[in-house]
Amino acid sequence: MPRAKKRQDGLYQKSVTINGKRHVFYGKSQSEITRKILNFEERERNGPTFKEVADEWETNIEPTLAYTTYSRYKPCIRRAVEAFGGSYITQIDVTDMHRYITSFALSPKGNARYSSKTVKTQLGIFNMIFKYAILRGYTKDNPCAYVPIPKGLPKKARELPDDCEIKKVINGVNKPFGLFAYLILYSGLRRGEALALTYNDIDKKDGVIHVTKSLYHESNVPHIKTPKTAAGERDVLLLNCLSDVLPRTTSQNRDKPLFPNGNGEYMTAGEAKIAWRDYCRETDLKVTAHQLRHAYATILYNAGVGDKDAQTLLGHSTIAMTRDIYTHISDKQKEATRSKLNSFICSNNLQAQ
């Protein structure tokens, strides 16, 4: 291999043809140029590193994501880069990925570190990065496609509010922020959808609530976004029990938030958090706003509303999401019935001695 030429400025320069293309390298010494050429040839053979691909993918995907979604992805991206950042994208195989996901999900003794949902999200981030790498021509294989989620991981229970908690919401409707909890209970709106409501969204004449937007927060600042799926934009039935306690819409308040801060504007993240915290302390409520949304699903289930109609009212993008909730409600009710029967049989001494 010809030696590099020394230039008048003291730097060394060398021109090399690699894969039919001419490349020029510069360095302070012959050895530095040789090292640069070898590194370049290795890069040409193996493609970019995982970190380079992940960074490129993240730069492209971030503007398309809602702030809350990106915030959920961020720790998964960080863990992925920590695990494989320095490895070439072409050299990560299914064995590497399976080993990582297994060790991420389970301790050396086989105990679960994370829930099934968390592990699926982590694997999903890897999957999206490798799909991007394939589309960009950086690699031909997606090792994530063959990696299973370890069995037996815990699933976060979707606890349903009991009758006592529901009673607290009903009795606390006139307390500060009590209408917010009451509205979610009898409309099934998501927290951000409820916070984004204006008086103009309440249509008492036609008996519906127009759900066309949602509130999210970036650095505590409130922002309005449209639903991420077509199913999210919907008209929810305005039940009489809710219509009776909602304030009247006037020409002065029609564009104002239904749940404003002290300045009559949309609540910041901190203001909404404090309002909910104070309300729960005053009413001794032990459930979340999301659990009240599922309580509304329970009302639909008990009223005999079919899963397809429930899907529309809840704004689910797929019928599977609604059926999953309905199945959970059914299972909980079966368990409650079983407990009642066992208690009755035991108290009446009806079992074999």
Side-chain angles (χ1 to χ4, degrees):
M1 180 182 292
R3 292 174 61 82
K5 294 180 181 180
K6 190 171 184 179
R7 306 183 339 163
Q8 290 185 349
D9 60 5
L11 289 177
Y12 287 86
Q13 175 182 329
K14 188 170 184 177
S15 179
V16 180
T17 300
I18 302 173
N19 294 334
K21 294 182 180 180
R22 195 166 186 78
H23 302 274
V24 181
F25 297 89
Y26 302 93
K28 295 180 180 179
S29 64
Q30 293 278 357
S31 60
E32 182 180 353
I33 286 186
T34 300
R35 185 170 64 254
K36 286 184 176 181
I37 293 173
L38 292 174
N39 289 340
F40 183 83
E41 290 176 333
E42 185 178 16
R43 168 64 181 264
E44 286 291 289
R45 288 193 305 271
N46 298 306
T49 64
F50 180 85
K51 183 181 187 308
E52 290 170 332
V53 177
D55 289 347
E56 185 179 319
W57 169 78
E58 184 178 357
T59 300
N60 280 273
I61 200 71
E62 181 183 357
T64 69
L65 299 174
Y67 177 76
T68 51
T69 302
Y70 180 65
S71 299
R72 191 170 69 251
Y73 282 3
K74 194 67 179 175
C76 298
I77 298 171
R78 174 182 53 77
R79 287 192 292 258
V81 171
E82 286 176 355
F84 295 105
S87 303
Y88 289 112
I89 194 79
T90 55
Q91 294 182 343
I92 303 171
D93 59 24
V94 65
T95 302
D96 299 322
M97 193 57 57
H98 183 257
R99 185 184 299 115
Y100 175 81
I101 289 298
T102 301
S103 63
F104 174 73
L106 303 172
S107 70
K109 293 183 178 181
N111 299 319
R113 298 182 191 269
Y114 296 98
S115 69
S116 176
K117 182 178 180 180
T118 300
V119 177
K120 286 179 180 177
T121 302
Q122 183 65 57
L123 182 58
I125 292 296
F126 277 116
N127 191 41
M128 286 188 281
I129 293 172
F130 273 100
K131 282 184 175 180
Y132 175 82
I134 291 173
L135 290 174
R136 296 288 295 173
Y138 298 142
T139 186
K140 295 181 180 179
D141 300 313
N142 180 1
C144 305
Y146 311 101
V147 176
I149 298 294
K151 295 181 179 180
L153 295 179
K155 293 184 178 180
K156 193 173 182 179
R158 185 187 291 112
E159 291 299 327
L160 300 172
D162 57 26
D163 292 342
C164 180
E165 297 298 303
I166 299 299
K167 204 68 177 176
K168 292 176 184 178
V169 175
I170 295 172
N171 293 336
V173 65
N174 293 318
K175 295 184 180 298
F177 216 48
L179 180 60
F180 177 79
Y182 192 84
L183 181 138
I184 292 180
L185 173 64
Y186 287 118
S187 69
L189 266 61
R190 299 175 177 89
R191 177 179 176 275
E193 293 171 339
L195 288 172
L197 287 177
T198 62
Y199 282 87
N200 206 34
D201 296 318
I202 308 300
D203 189 343
K204 291 191 176 184
K205 180 180 178 182
D206 290 337
V208 295
I209 300 172
H210 302 298
V211 183
T212 62
K213 55 192 177 297
S214 183
L215 192 73
Y216 74 98
H217 298 91
E218 185 172 349
S219 301
N220 198 40
V221 179
H223 297 275
I224 291 292
K225 65 177 181 179
T226 56
K228 61 183 179 181
T229 66
E233 187 167 340
R234 64 201 188 278
D235 283 346
V236 174
L237 300 176
L238 177 57
L239 303 181
N240 292 341
C241 62
L242 180 56
S243 179
D244 291 343
V245 298
L246 284 172
R248 188 169 60 90
T249 302
T250 67
S251 57
Q252 287 75 34
N253 69 12
R254 66 172 60 254
D255 295 322
K256 301 295 184 180
L258 188 61
F259 302 106
N261 62 11
N263 298 320
E265 301 170 342
Y266 285 118
M267 287 185 168
T268 65
E271 289 167 339
K273 183 178 181 180
I274 291 172
W276 180 258
R277 181 200 65 190
D278 292 347
Y279 162 74
C280 288
R281 284 178 177 174
E282 186 171 356
T283 58
D284 194 33
L285 191 69
K286 305 296 185 184
V287 298
T288 65
H290 193 69
Q291 285 174 292
L292 293 180
R293 171 170 156 82
H294 286 296
Y296 174 75
T298 304
I299 294 172
L300 297 178
Y301 178 88
N302 290 335
V305 176
D307 52 14
K308 196 64 182 175
D309 289 331
Q311 177 192 357
T312 301
L313 292 171
L314 290 165
H316 287 155
S317 57
T318 66
I319 190 66
M321 298 173 68
T322 312
R323 287 172 178 165
D324 180 54
I325 294 175
Y326 265 28
T327 298
H328 179 71
I329 294 169
S330 175
D331 289 344
K332 293 288 285 188
Q333 292 187 350
K334 286 178 183 176
E335 185 59 36
T337 301
R338 180 184 294 108
S339 297
K340 289 179 181 178
L341 287 172
N342 283 333
S343 177
F344 176 81
I345 290 171
C346 182
S347 61
N348 287 278
N349 197 28
L350 299 177
Q351 71 268 36
Q353 300 299 319

